[in-house]
């Protein structure tokens, strides 16, 4: 008599150290995805709707401070304390490019057209790499008032966003001139700043607060107090009715965008069954 097969849950463990960056991909034909960075050096890719684990990117030798996905969620990028920014094949986990820096890389972002990668870190320099010609000389913007914590693109890649580790505010840079044209003022240093997929909002995290700013007029739209110090926040791209935040307690929490109420959380999740 055949033995009855028993379904055993496969538990995909979450990060073993605090979550420091979260990023939602745009909505693709396969849905949308969430990538997370942690001081444990291993970025994780998850299903954006369920939080189920898909894969872990292995290759960094230090804490990973920043992660992002390109427009089609086919490539991932990460910035690390091992002085590198890496670009990954998001389907296989293979390293496509590894860009050496002179100090810790705290931030990275793909341009909207996915052709460029922007990085920043302890060196107080914003670097722009051409991914179609990775061997070509890079462009540098070296007037950041402090070490760079976050970077992002907006306005069809004509404007850069950045924040610093040791002072409040988000700075908007004109790409052509390399000059700061606007500052969003915050009391605490901003550890996360991104533009929503529909281009309407800039989402920031500073201290134990998540804020949403009008991306056109730069006024403050919403501000929510979080249950702990938050390192990163990201607005859900499909409906824009919820956002996630993660930080020192190692949980990724889900909140209602309109009310700020917490609606769920995930860390260790069951992602499938073995027969």
């Amino acid at each position: 008599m055949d033995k009855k097969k028993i379904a055993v849950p496969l538990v995909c463990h979450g990060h073993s150290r605090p979550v420091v960056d979260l990023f939602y991909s745009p909505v693709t034909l396969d849905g949308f995805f969430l990538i997370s960075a942690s001081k444990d050096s291993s970025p994780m890719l998850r299903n954006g709707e369920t939080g189920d684990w898909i894969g872990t990117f292995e290759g960094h030798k230090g804490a990973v401070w920043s992660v992002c996905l390109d427009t089609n969620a086919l490539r991932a990028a990460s910035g690390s304390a091992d002085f590198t920014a890496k670009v990954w094949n998001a389907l296989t986990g293979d390293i496509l490019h590894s860009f050496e820096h002179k100090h810790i890389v705290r931030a990275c972002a793909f341009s909207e057209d996915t052709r460029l990668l922007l990085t920043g870190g302890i060196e107080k320099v914003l670097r722009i790499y051409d991914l179609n010609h990775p061997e070509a000389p890079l462009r540098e913007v070296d007037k950041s008032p402090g070490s760079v914590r976050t970077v992002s693109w907006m306005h069809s890649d004509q404007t850069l966003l950045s924040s610093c580790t040791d002072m409040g505010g988000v700075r908007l840079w004109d790409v052509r001139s390399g000059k700061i044209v606007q500052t969003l003022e915050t009391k605490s240093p901003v550890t996360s700043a991104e533009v929503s997929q529909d281009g309407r909002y800039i989402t920031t995290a500073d201290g134990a607060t998540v804020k949403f700013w009008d991306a056109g007029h730069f006024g403050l739209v919403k501000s929510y107090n979080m249950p702990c110090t938050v390192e990163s926040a990201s607005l859900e791209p499909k409906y824009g009715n919820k956002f996630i935040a993660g930080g020192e307690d190692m949980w990724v929490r889900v909140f209602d965008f309109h009310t700020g109420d917490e609606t769920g959380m995930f860390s260790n999740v069951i992602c499938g069954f073995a027969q």
Side-chain angles (χ1 to χ4, degrees):
M1 185 162 99
D2 293 337
K3 292 183 178 180
K4 184 178 180 181
K5 292 182 179 181
I6 300 175
V8 180
L10 300 177
V11 179
C12 304
H13 294 287
H15 291 293
S16 59
R17 298 192 66 191
V19 174
V20 292
D21 198 22
L22 296 164
F23 184 90
Y24 272 123
S25 79
V27 178
T28 72
L29 294 177
D30 297 314
F32 61 98
F33 303 90
L34 169 66
I35 190 170
S36 57
S38 166
K39 295 179 182 179
D40 63 12
S41 80
S42 299
M44 290 186 176
L45 184 67
R46 299 179 185 270
N47 180 292
E49 293 196 85
T50 66
D52 288 354
W53 177 87
I54 294 173
T56 300
F57 299 96
E58 301 286 355
H60 279 299
K61 297 179 180 179
V64 175
W65 286 100
S66 179
V67 286
C68 59
L69 292 161
D70 70 9
T71 302
N72 299 312
L74 297 177
R75 292 178 299 179
S78 54
S80 173
D82 64 10
F83 294 15
T84 69
K86 297 186 187 298
V87 178
W88 312 76
N89 183 316
L91 301 179
T92 66
D94 294 332
I95 297 174
L96 300 176
H97 307 291
S98 186
F99 298 112
E100 298 289 335
H101 291 62
K102 297 177 182 179
H103 214 304
I104 295 171
V105 184
R106 299 291 294 270
C108 62
F110 286 105
S111 60
E112 294 175 31
D113 65 8
T114 74
R115 184 174 61 88
L116 305 174
L117 180 71
L118 173 66
T119 69
I122 301 298
E123 297 175 79
K124 304 180 183 181
V125 176
L126 300 176
R127 289 183 170 88
I128 301 174
Y129 296 88
D130 187 337
L131 297 178
N132 291 338
H133 304 282
E135 72 289 344
L138 57 90
R139 180 181 175 186
E140 294 187 352
V141 179
D142 59 0
K143 299 176 183 177
S144 176
S147 61
V148 179
R149 179 63 183 89
T150 67
V151 294
S152 188
W153 301 79
M154 65 183 300
H155 297 157
S156 300
D157 299 331
Q158 298 303 304
T159 304
L160 306 178
L161 303 183
S162 75
S163 68
C164 298
T165 59
D166 45 4
M167 62 185 70
V170 176
R171 287 150 199 89
L172 284 70
W173 303 74
D174 179 85
V175 172
R176 290 164 294 185
S177 67
K179 294 182 179 180
I180 297 172
V181 295
Q182 180 84 24
T183 300
L184 308 181
E185 300 292 348
T186 64
K187 293 182 179 179
S188 302
V190 172
T191 54
S192 172
E194 68 171 36
V195 182
S196 62
Q197 300 299 335
D198 61 9
R200 294 179 60 191
Y201 302 108
I202 299 171
T203 306
T204 64
D206 66 289
T209 305
V210 173
K211 296 181 175 67
F212 297 92
W213 310 78
D214 186 298
H217 302 289
F218 307 116
L220 182 62
V221 177
K222 296 178 181 292
S223 180
Y224 295 124
N225 294 324
M226 298 287 101
C228 68
T229 299
V230 176
E231 291 285 348
S232 184
S234 188
L235 184 63
E236 186 269 339
K238 190 172 184 180
Y239 302 109
N241 58 6
K242 62 183 178 181
F243 66 95
I244 53 172
E248 62 182 12
D249 64 357
M250 294 185 288
W251 288 92
V252 177
R253 300 174 185 270
V254 184
F255 298 87
D256 185 285
F257 170 75
H258 301 288
T259 65
D261 294 335
E262 184 175 332
T263 61
M265 64 172 63
F266 51 86
S267 178
N268 296 342
V269 296
I270 295 175
C271 65
F273 290 90
Q275 299 296 326

